[in-house]
Amino acid sequence: MADGFSYHEAFSRNIGWVTTGEQEILRNKRIAIAGMGGVGGFHLLTLARLGVEKFNIADLDTFELANFNRQAGASMSTLDHSKVEVLAKMARDINPECNLTIYPQGVNEANLQSFFQDVDIYIDGLDFFAFDARERVFAHCTQHRIPAVTVAPLGMSAALLNFLPGGMSFEDYFQVAGRPELEKAVRFLVGLAPALLHRHYLADKARVNLKERRGPSTIMACQLCAGVAASEALKILLKRGKVWAAPHGIQFDGYRNKLTHTWRLGGNRHPFNRLAIAIARHQLGI
């Protein structure tokens, strides 16, 4: 134990919302998070403050100035530093007893089995455009019955989808396998937030360009996502509380103070989603 650190004292204020026994359960669960950038870093730090002590974390990128508006580990002192190494240090500053396995090459076919070794739940933190890695990771979760949570930062909102063992899979919902990258981007965007609460207040539409893999972001959305993801993880790991699984989706928008609960039977095969995809294709000329 690190000098001056006591797990039970550090996380004692969690007790009441969780029992002492539940805190010990959380302490001993292992969570995998791929991506330590926009949302992933906040996921890790939020779960570490929840008292989770075991993590597998992956990211192949380093911090740059363009990350400063939203990423947990981005600062002048971490420019050009490995994201996964920086966030691991931050998590250990919260809990020196953290058991962290890091993957500085990101998640790939060669380390997929290792990344998910003894994992109880997966929390998605991958970049929006990391389609190949995301498909690979979610397929592994489906095959090995690992609960998977994704919460997308869209505008100033958080859009939640859970993929649970025995339920609808990521591919069943999004229908992206084998499609061109731009088509995947459209399907992923529509499927993440069918209610599109965030579309009403985009101030500069020219800043969104799926063909060039770019779009605006906010710190508010990333922090909202971390709170939502940690809450879902708590319910799944402790087996209490209602967990809505795909094709159910939930989006909360802080700018509009709106909450929506969607149910898209068939995922992107649903008529409403198919219409939204068709409109987006037309607008993009694909």
Side-chain angles (χ1 to χ4, degrees):
M1 184 172 68
D3 289 344
F5 179 80
S6 162
Y7 177 91
H8 296 292
E9 184 175 354
F11 305 110
S12 61
R13 297 296 176 91
N14 292 339
I15 307 304
W17 296 113
V18 298
T19 68
T20 302
E22 287 174 331
Q23 186 68 69
E24 285 301 310
I25 291 172
L26 292 173
R27 183 181 189 179
N28 288 288
K29 295 297 185 180
R30 181 169 291 276
I31 298 180
I33 308 171
M36 288 287 108
V39 292
F42 285 110
H43 291 338
L44 174 64
L45 301 184
T46 303
L47 290 161
R49 293 193 187 279
L50 186 60
V52 177
E53 209 165 70
K54 300 177 181 179
F55 297 96
N56 294 350
I57 58 175
D59 199 302
L60 50 69
D61 204 359
T62 57
F63 284 113
E64 57 187 36
L65 278 171
N67 302 146
F68 277 35
N69 78 312
R70 72 199 182 284
Q71 297 194 13
S75 65
M76 290 302 295
S77 64
T78 64
L79 273 177
D80 301 321
H81 289 218
S82 162
K83 291 183 180 181
V84 74
E85 296 280 2
V86 169
L87 268 299
K89 183 178 185 296
M90 293 175 74
R92 292 190 181 107
D93 279 345
I94 295 167
N95 180 356
E97 298 174 2
C98 260
N99 179 334
L100 287 141
T101 303
I102 66 172
Y103 293 81
Q105 289 78 41
V107 181
N108 54 57
E109 192 171 351
N111 64 23
L112 196 61
Q113 292 290 337
S114 172
F115 180 71
F116 281 107
Q117 184 70 37
D118 299 324
V119 162
D120 295 290
I121 189 171
Y122 169 68
I123 310 293
D124 187 32
L126 289 167
D127 181 86
F128 178 89
F129 295 99
F131 301 119
D132 290 344
R134 183 172 280 110
E135 288 176 66
R136 188 180 297 117
V137 162
F138 276 93
H140 185 94
C141 289
T142 297
Q143 182 181 355
H144 295 274
R145 301 185 63 81
I146 298 170
V149 177
T150 186
V151 193
L154 299 169
M156 301 175 212
S157 73
L160 166 70
L161 288 170
N162 292 311
F163 297 95
L164 303 182
M168 193 175 202
S169 72
F170 177 92
E171 176 54 32
D172 287 340
Y173 182 87
F174 285 104
Q175 296 283 299
V176 293
R179 299 182 188 272
E181 184 172 286
L182 192 54
E183 174 77 6
K184 289 183 180 184
V186 169
R187 287 175 168 270
F188 192 45
L189 188 59
V190 169
L192 282 171
L196 296 172
L197 292 181
H198 53 288
R199 75 184 185 278
H200 298 283
Y201 53 86
L202 181 62
D204 184 354
K205 294 182 180 180
R207 293 289 178 168
V208 179
N209 191 316
L210 295 182
K211 290 181 180 179
E212 297 178 6
R213 287 186 156 210
R214 60 178 173 86
S217 57
T218 70
I219 182 62
M220 296 83 83
C222 293
Q223 291 185 317
L224 282 172
C225 287
V228 171
S231 300
E232 296 301 301
L234 180 148
K235 291 188 289 183
I236 292 168
L237 294 173
L238 297 182
K239 299 179 180 177
R240 69 170 170 94
K242 177 64 179 179
V243 178
W244 293 102
H248 292 273
I250 296 169
Q251 183 180 10
F252 171 72
D253 192 281
Y255 184 87
R256 299 183 64 201
N257 293 323
K258 285 185 176 290
L259 174 70
T260 61
H261 177 171
T262 54
W263 182 62
R264 294 292 192 261
L265 187 63
N268 276 338
R269 290 188 294 270
H270 190 281
F272 288 171
N273 286 36
R274 290 169 60 187
L275 176 60
I277 290 167
I279 292 170
R281 282 191 192 128
H282 176 72
Q283 291 174 339
L284 292 167
I286 62 174

